Every structure is written in structure tokens, then in C-alpha cells.
Amino acid sequence: MAKKRPQTKAGKQQLKDGEIPVVGAREPCPCGSGRRYKACHGRAAAQAVTELVQRPFEGLAGECDWVALRELVPAATAALTLKGGLPEGVPSVTLATVLPMAWPALRREDGSVLLALQNDTSSGDLSRDLADTLQRALEAEAGSPVAARRVPADGPRLQDLLDGDAPFEPVVHSGFEFWVPDAENATAEVSASLERANEAAIPTALLSGVDAAYWCETPEKNHLRWVMPYAEEQLLDALARLHAAGETSLGEGTRLVGSFRAHGLMVPVWDLPSAMGAEDCEKPAAAFAERLATALATDAPLTAEERRARGGLTNRQVTLS
């Protein structure tokens, strides 16, 4: 027979939900129910931490670039502007794709803060994880990294900390020398990490004529990976119309090969000839953006050929996150 749960005495004062403290998962819940915390008030807290937020960067300036820096770009930085300005003793806050030794954040000797974007996180809300790391970095001792931790379920998100009106302008780097002000005098550990990271970095460039389109070079061919802000179904219809009409090309030898799904957005991907550099993509990409805008504005039902094109595009999608 199942064990009877202890009954709460009628005269015992009951705590309100807002007063329930956090205790160990296997300890009795402080509310007095007689159940373990993990099976009582701890259940909602655990669910809040693990629930996946599909678009963690929604509402931030440059959402598409946030996605690109999280999933596609090896080495890049972007200045961040905090609501209410910088705290005393913090001259700047900079987002970075990665940091040495996979640190979540770093408070430099001069007080400036570097926040890493590509680290593993503990909850289903990447924005909340990053906000927690940022807050702790702002208060860390100068010259020290910030360690990872499990974040509170009710903590702030990046949208609460960052100025939504400030521009988000990524700077793509050829290597990771931005890690240290003086690379020649870096510690042996940081120097070794820097060397490994530089060897693994794929040459990447951000196009200037369109938003969130990133050219990259690989040994066999080059690619253009373009993070787009449109709803997936709407974008698939538009791409299908263009594909059926033979208008998805970016020039001779180029081909739309599929797309990624990343943080709630679609990222169409083109194969490019190895001789086609980032500057060569600028005019074709701008022309494609115009064709895409026209296709997005069309609401006529898809033709049979367009439906077949849409099916092919759907089958060539890969989910990154």
C-alpha cells in the first residue's frame, strides 16, 4: 500500500505562494503540504527554468544578428548599451561570440565587461541566462572571469537590461585577438586558447548592403547564410515563388541549397563558387532582397509548381536550435 502523506494540522499557519522559499528538491515543501519541494512548489519553478523560449532575442535591436552571432559567426563583437547607462567603474560592455576557456563573461582589469554569446546555458531561456551572467559580470572584481550557474526562474532578461533603442552593430573579426588588449603579454593559458580558436575560425564577413547576411569561406566552396526576420510560413511561400520562377540565384554558379532554423528564425543558405568573395555578393544580395520583398507581398495561392518548390525547400531545412 502507498504511504499516507502526513496531514497538515488545521492550526498551522500556511505560507502564501509569494512567500515560499527555495529549499532542496527532496526536502519537505515549506508550504506545509507534506510533499517534497520538487513535487510541490518546486515543480513550477523547475518548469519555468526548463521551458524553451523559441525566440529568446525577440524584441532586441538586431534580433537577426544576435541569432547569427550565436550560431553562425566564429569571431565577432558588438557594443551593448544598458538601460540607464553604465555603472560606475564599467567603461564599456561588449558582446563577444566566445571568450577564452569558454568563460561566460569576463571583467577586465580596466573594469570593462565582455559577455560571451555561444556558451552552453542552464535554462530554456537564453536571454535570461545571458542577463544573469551580465549582471554578475557588472559586479565582479576587475580582472576576473564569471562562472556559469543555474539562473533564477524569475530573473531579468536581456530585454530588461539593454536599451532597445540603441543600435546593434556587429563587428566581424578575422581572429580572436579582441580577447586581450595586449596579446603578446597574455598568460600561457590564454595564448594557447587564442591559438586554438584562431586555427578553427572560418573566414567570415558581414555584407553591408543587406541586413544579417554573412558570407563565409570553406575549403571547397563559399556560402552565404542570411538570417531573416519573417515568419517561417510566409518566408517559405515567398522563397517557393522565387524558386519556381528561377529567381533565387545570386549569380552564375550559385544555388539556394536549403535553410537553418535557429532561435525561431529562418536562415536561407546559398552555395557560392570559391572565387566569389563577400564584395561580389553585395549587388546580387541587394537585388534578391528586392525580389523577395515583392514575393512576400504576394498573397495569391501557390501554384502546383510553387508547392513542389516549397516542399523541396522544407525538406532541406536543418534545425540548429
Side-chain angles (χ1 to χ4, degrees), residues 81-101:
T81 304
L82 305 184
K83 290 181 178 179
L86 294 167
E88 185 178 356
V90 181
S92 64
V93 176
T94 302
L95 183 73
T97 46
V98 291
L99 291 176
M101 278 74 73

Side-chain angles (χ1 to χ4, degrees), residues 109-315:
E109 292 286 355
D110 66 354
S112 60
V113 167
L114 290 176
L115 175 68
L117 183 56
Q118 294 183 9
N119 289 66
D120 292 335
T121 53
S122 62
S123 81
D125 187 352
L126 181 56
S127 178
R128 198 180 307 281
D129 288 329
L130 290 167
D132 179 77
T133 302
L134 174 57
Q135 283 189 312
R136 291 186 292 123
L138 293 171
E139 299 172 355
E141 292 185 8
S144 61
V146 175
R149 75 168 186 179
R150 181 174 291 277
V151 304
D154 58 351
R157 308 178 73 238
L158 287 174
Q159 289 82 347
D160 301 317
L161 303 182
L162 301 183
D163 184 347
D165 296 326
F168 184 76
E169 300 175 340
V171 177
V172 178
H173 303 276
S174 59
F176 295 88
E177 281 73 20
F178 64 84
W179 281 353
V180 287
D182 185 3
E184 293 183 357
N185 295 321
T187 66
E189 189 178 21
V190 171
S191 296
S193 184
L194 177 61
E195 184 177 354
R196 289 193 300 270
N198 283 342
E199 289 176 353
I202 297 174
T204 302
L206 173 62
L207 300 194
S208 61
V210 294
D211 293 333
Y214 290 80
W215 169 95
C216 67
E217 179 184 9
T218 60
E220 295 184 358
K221 62 185 69 174
N222 300 338
H223 304 279
L224 184 69
R225 301 179 291 191
W226 194 339
V227 187
M228 296 186 172
Y230 314 108
E232 181 174 330
E233 297 302 313
Q234 180 189 18
L235 180 54
L236 280 171
D237 282 352
L239 291 174
R241 296 181 196 279
L242 295 176
H243 198 65
E247 295 182 346
T248 54
S249 171
L250 298 179
E252 185 177 355
T254 69
R255 185 169 67 98
L256 176 63
V257 293
S259 62
F260 298 130
R261 285 192 191 98
H263 304 292
L265 298 181
M266 268 186 65
V267 188
V269 179
W270 283 261
D271 277 352
L272 310 173
S274 57
M276 190 172 186
E279 293 184 359
D280 301 321
C281 294
E282 293 285 1
K283 288 185 178 179
F288 176 82
E290 294 181 1
R291 299 196 298 272
L292 180 62
T294 300
L296 287 166
T298 304
D299 57 5
L302 296 179
T303 66
E305 186 177 0
E306 290 168 347
R307 288 197 299 272
R308 287 193 294 271
R310 193 185 194 280
L313 291 170
T314 302
N315 290 335

Side-chain angles (χ1 to χ4, degrees), residues 59-96:
L60 292 175
E63 179 187 6
C64 293
D65 287 302
W66 277 89
V67 171
L69 267 58
R70 167 70 182 183
E71 299 293 341
L72 306 174
V73 182
T77 56
L80 298 180
T81 304
L82 305 184
K83 290 181 178 179
L86 294 167
E88 185 178 356
V90 181
S92 64
V93 176
T94 302
L95 183 73

